[in-house]
Amino acid sequence: MAGKTLFDKVWDSHVVSEIEGGPSVLYIDRHLIHEVTSPQAFAGLDKRGINVLRPENTIATPDHNVPTLDQHLPIKDYLSSFQVNKLTENTEKHGITLFGLNTPNQGIVHVVGPEQGLTQPGMTIVCGDSHTSTHGAFGSVAFGIGTSEVEMVLATQCILQPKPKSMRINVEGELKPGVTSKDIILYIISQITASGGTGYFIEYAGSAIRSLSMEGRMTICNMSIESGARGGLIAPDDTTFKYMKGRKYAPEGADFDKAVAYWKSLRTDDDAEFDKEIHFRAEDIEPMITYGTNPGMGTGITQYIPREDEIEPSNLKSFRKSMQYMGFNAGDKLIGKSIDYVFVGSCTNGRIEDLREFAHYVKGLKKANNVTAWIVPGSKQVEKQAIEEGIVEILEEAGFELRQPGCSACLAMNDDKIPEGKVAVSTSNRNFEGRQGPGARTMLASPFTAAAVAITGEIADPRQVFGILEPEKAM
Amino acid sequence: MAIDKFTTITATAVPVPYENIDTDQIIPARFLKATTRDGFGENLFRDWRYDKDNNPKKDFELNNTKYSGPILVGGKNFGSGSSREHAAWAIHDYGFKVVVSSFFADIFKNNSLNNGLLPVQISEEFLEKIFSAIDKDPKAQFKVDLENQEISIMSTGEKEKFDINPYKKECLINGYDDIDYLLSMKDKIEAFEKTRVKPYTY
Ligand code: SF4
């Protein structure tokens, strides 16, 4: 019998039962909830007259809808405030831990989980949010769910789920200077397309992946969903264990050692088989940027937007629509395009490592006058660290302001909307039409590239702007 | 709590012939502030349907009165992006019972099935045939037969089979709800919990 993949090991150990010809009943260890996709689920419980089965397995935090300025004041937008209050009400009623607004642990749910040690190897983790895939960086099976499924988990701690197919993406070799984890994942999606992962759960492997920090791994797993994949995961190793140690909700002492012994078994067996396997070379990747309206429409920053004759005929209609929306022409050179906004933040790149990197490069320089920049920490914890490490001052001297934590312009549910027709370089994960505000035009890139754009006011190759050969990790 | 039972539908269809329609287009984030499931149909495809002064955009298919019916036909890779179930609610609330495409995003598919909205995944060739049938005659009829897992173009008699998980099919035909099923398994779930000991429970 062939061996098991990491995904199989975690999934199979959580199957309560299987329905013939149907989905598995999968037990969920950790359920994260936020204000936007949970109210209807709680209302459903009320309607059925039932309670949350295991309130201790669920953690809540408001993030999507919160302002990023003046968080100490009541939320002005009535509907946002209603939704955030509803979360407080529902969690109080059902005895669920809430990291509320203005408390030290609040933040974007996918930033909070790992930094609090709630995310651990071998767990099943779900959240009513597609970027739950982020938590796979720890070797957990983590995926986004809809609100009916949130209700399922609240009611029964289980979910009905068909087992996805398995894919392994190997990135071998050494990254070139100036190439970051965000570039790896944008590159992968540009190669396999925005639907290439649909139906699969991806394991990322290879020396280039193993060399990444936990933050870097989270950025990769975070964007798995942008290839359509159900989720992505990476086998836990010493980097993971080191990160886990001492976190608030992580096991301690002898329990930690026991846990590590178990976590070490969480790896794909040598003879395991995947439904699909893809290989990339780290050397082929350069700093990436997107030019279109789905995350698969990306290319190396020194490259050109494809010409129409390079587009598949069936895709031409969508491609033209996309170019029209972006105000770009097929065949355009990317470098030198003028940019209006820079957004650094989100569950993809709003962690402390991202802010450190951005600050490291803008230090002693000045923000370009034509650029409005929003730098938004992923959590209260990140904000605190940024203050303690002097990142805030570096940013201020360079003409930037650190806002308060939340999803912010990643999905523009609050006031942080990129105005119609304006072009933003964003470290978030989606460049869909209107994602960052009605009519907003989004180009996705790494914090390193965002720094170059913020300083020059146009699309620029960060390696040139900062004259680096070896990007010093700003640790 | 039951969902609507699904039977056979024979009806006209509305085309949205674009690839990669993501859930941000289906229902933009700024309309996700509601705390109930109702009323999302009003903002279905909001930014494609209306300009910034709230005037209907003439060139968008949903605003074209020649198209109508409970079947929505989308281009390849429908429902990608955000997991928001509000997208399925919006489509259902607008009056659609079926969404046809050559490829669906996984979460969207689950969300639809959980709300009595049937995702019908067919080959790209058959999708093209459906688009061209609507092109030729906006009143062209299509039959979606869940029992036999078949979609037909009435004018030409062409048919194609589609896949659906047998369990989900049962649920849709009978109007069953997953949560009721899971609640009925409570003893089994509790027994499973007892088998889980440290360190697996971390
Ligand atoms: S930061 Fe963006 S992608 Fe991440 S959870 Fe918030 S809205 Fe979703």
Side-chain angles (χ1 to χ4, degrees), chain A residues 21 27 29 40 48 54 80 83 120 123 147-148 199 255 262 314-315 318 321 413 420 430 433 435, chain B residues 19 22 24-25 32-33 36 48 52 81-83 85 106 111 165-167 177 180 193 196 200 202:
Chain A
Y27 191 79
D29 295 319
Q40 292 88 350
R48 290 170 205 268
R54 298 281 173 255
S80 299
Q83 218 173 36
Q120 297 172 20
M123 280 184 163
T147 298
S148 296
D255 280 348
Y262 165 55
S314 71
N315 213 349
S318 307
K321 189 170 184 291
M413 262 189 98
E420 182 171 0
R430 287 190 172 138
E433 284 183 31
R435 170 77 178 181
Chain B
E19 293 197 356
D22 58 78
D24 271 85
Q25 308 317 314
L32 306 185
K33 296 186 184 189
T36 67
W48 287 2
K52 62 174 188 296
S82 156
S83 59
E85 191 162 321
D106 289 329
N111 287 341
N165 183 298
Y167 164 81
D177 166 320
D180 288 335
E193 281 179 324
R196 295 175 57 72
Y200 306 102
Y202 288 123

Side-chain angles (χ1 to χ4, degrees), chain B residues 12 16 50 75 102 154:
Chain B
T12 54
V16 277
Y50 300 100
S102 59
M154 300 305 275

Side-chain angles (χ1 to χ4, degrees), chain A residues 64 108 110 129 131 346-347 407 410-411 429 435:
Chain A
H64 282 65
I108 304 172
H110 312 308
D129 187 283
H131 293 97
S346 89
C347 59
C407 293
C410 174
L411 91 165
N429 44 47
R435 170 77 178 181

Side-chain angles (χ1 to χ4, degrees), chain A residues 122-446:
Chain A
M123 280 184 163
T124 47
I125 302 176
V126 295
C127 173
D129 187 283
S130 57
H131 293 97
T132 310
S133 58
T134 312
H135 308 266
F138 292 78
S140 59
V141 166
F143 53 91
I145 58 177
T147 298
S148 296
E149 294 169 321
V150 171
E151 187 179 336
M152 262 178 231
V153 179
L154 290 173
T156 68
Q157 206 54 42
C158 286
I159 189 169
L160 282 174
Q161 210 60 200
K163 189 173 179 180
K165 287 181 288 184
S166 63
M167 184 193 297
R168 180 158 62 188
I169 295 182
N170 303 280
V171 189
E172 293 287 355
E174 213 174 307
L175 290 170
K176 286 197 290 200
V179 177
T180 69
S181 64
K182 181 65 164 285
D183 303 308
I184 301 180
I185 190 65
L186 285 173
Y187 176 80
I188 291 174
I189 302 166
S190 76
Q191 297 296 307
I192 70 173
T193 80
S195 60
T198 306
Y200 291 94
F201 219 94
I202 301 173
E203 177 174 346
Y204 300 97
S207 54
I209 302 290
R210 280 197 303 277
S211 73
L212 298 172
S213 66
M214 285 318 293
E215 283 85 353
R217 295 179 190 188
M218 285 187 244
T219 302
I220 304 248
C221 290
N222 172 276
M223 289 192 72
S224 302
I225 181 74
E226 307 312 334
S227 74
R230 209 64 185 83
L233 76 177
I234 295 172
D237 59 10
D238 287 339
T239 306
T240 322
F241 311 144
K242 219 171 116 199
Y243 179 99
M244 291 300 315
K245 197 163 184 143
R247 305 246 159 209
K248 188 167 172 204
Y249 289 86
E252 291 172 78
D255 280 348
F256 185 79
D257 299 336
K258 248 166 76 188
V260 170
Y262 165 55
W263 294 342
K264 283 188 173 159
S265 72
L266 298 172
R267 45 181 36 254
T268 293
D269 295 333
D270 292 340
D271 55 344
E273 278 169 24
F274 288 83
D275 295 307
K276 193 167 182 176
E277 182 132 17
I278 305 178
H279 297 269
F280 294 114
R281 294 180 349 156
E283 300 80 38
D284 293 342
I285 308 174
E286 68 163 324
M288 296 285 294
I289 193 153
T290 65
Y291 53 81
T293 52
N294 75 58
M297 299 173 83
T299 185
I301 195 151
T302 60
Q303 304 296 304
Y304 294 77
I305 296 175
R307 296 184 313 268
E308 288 203 350
D309 61 9
E310 294 169 302
I311 301 294
E312 271 190 46
S314 71
N315 213 349
L316 205 54
K317 193 169 180 180
S318 307
F319 177 77
R320 284 188 184 139
K321 189 170 184 291
S322 176
M323 286 303 104
Q324 196 191 3
Y325 182 84
M326 292 300 290
F328 294 162
N329 295 309
D332 276 2
K333 190 175 170 46
L334 287 160
I335 294 232
K337 279 194 180 297
S338 178
I339 298 299
D340 310 297
Y341 280 75
V342 168
F343 171 60
V344 178
S346 89
C347 59
T348 316
N349 284 121
R351 295 186 197 84
I352 188 65
E353 192 177 75
D354 303 308
L355 296 192
R356 280 182 197 141
E357 183 168 37
F358 186 85
H360 173 80
Y361 286 107
V362 302
K363 187 173 181 175
L365 301 170
K366 285 278 176 242
K367 180 182 78 62
N369 284 331
N370 62 310
V371 165
T372 305
W374 294 333
I375 319 289
V376 183
S379 69
K380 273 302 227 197
Q381 187 89 31
V382 172
E383 180 188 45
K384 184 166 164 252
Q385 270 174 288
I387 295 168
E388 285 169 1
E389 294 179 19
I391 289 175
V392 175
E393 278 106 67
I394 296 175
L395 291 177
E396 277 170 6
E397 268 166 39
F400 300 95
E401 169 200 26
L402 189 73
R403 296 170 81 109
Q404 291 170 307
C407 293
S408 180
C410 174
L411 91 165
M413 262 189 98
N414 66 359
D415 288 341
D416 307 344
K417 293 179 175 51
I418 310 292
E420 182 171 0
K422 297 292 182 198
V423 187
V425 165
S426 176
T427 67
S428 57
N429 44 47
R430 287 190 172 138
N431 51 353
F432 299 148
E433 284 183 31
R435 170 77 178 181
Q436 298 198 285
R441 296 161 167 168
T442 301
M443 302 178 81
L444 303 173
S446 70

